[in-house]
Amino acid sequence: MSSPLAPGALDGVRALVTGSSRGIGADTVGYLAEAGAKVVVNYRNKARRAEQIAEKVVAAGGAALALGADLTDHDSVQAMVDAVVAEWGGIDLLVLNASGGMESGMGDDYALRLNRDAQVDMLQTAVPHMPAGSRVVFVTSHQAHFVETAETLPEYVPVAKSKRAGELALRELLPQLEAAGIEFVTVSGDMIEGTITATLLNRINPGAIEGRREAVGKLYSVSEFAAEIALAAVEPIPADHTKLVGDVSSFTA
């Protein structure tokens, strides 16, 4: 789909999007770059995929870095931030897109380490290099955002709770961010067609995707949801720091 942002809307903006070697993160990077942003394509272990995205941005006349980092490892995160600062001098837009917790063999506490602890560490590591007027966009799901008040798929509850814990931990930093002149917004969406999480959930619970589609009438595609994230980089910040994408009536009824 076409870019949701006007050409030049992000000229000079230095953007770091975590987990952006594929899926929603990759499409978000593409939209930001088309609008003029310098973009960091972050990956954990898909180096070539990230490099190809960065090369595409550069070939189109933009600026991009492909930087690997295990977000659950502070030294790795620090090295990534240091590399961005060395190259561009700072960060104006931090999109906290990376998440997980359904992977096998990562340990029982992996979801919490990635979806809460790593989100806070990533932000705290970046903040000293984010000038006033910068923005942080945290990406989550309705299943996580509303997990305390609405039912979700049993198989997803542990991950949903860890993502909600991450969101709440980030919100606790709002006074610090506001004092530094840094804006913050959470972007929440339903199950997204074509994502790894949706595919895994549908494998564990056949019919899960179709059930959500019937409940809300439409599920966003990867590119459609990425467009909403990209827009959150320029839209006015809602009073509650929350942008809800799509129908949430089944979560709020």
Side-chain angles (χ1 to χ4, degrees), residues 13-16 91-96 123 130-138 177 181-186 229-238:
V13 169
R14 301 159 296 183
L16 192 165
I91 299 168
D92 304 299
L93 174 63
L94 175 62
V95 180
L96 297 171
L123 177 56
M130 299 182 72
S134 297
R135 182 171 295 198
V136 178
V137 179
F138 173 67
L177 296 177
I182 299 172
E183 299 174 320
F184 175 89
V185 63
T186 289
I229 296 169
L231 283 169
V234 299
E235 292 172 333
I237 301 291

Side-chain angles (χ1 to χ4, degrees), residues 2 5 44 51 62 70 96 142 154 182 190 193 207-208 231 235:
S2 60
L5 300 173
R44 188 182 69 181
E51 290 165 358
D70 177 353
L96 297 171
H142 297 337
I182 299 172
D190 210 312
E193 300 262 19
L231 283 169
E235 292 172 333

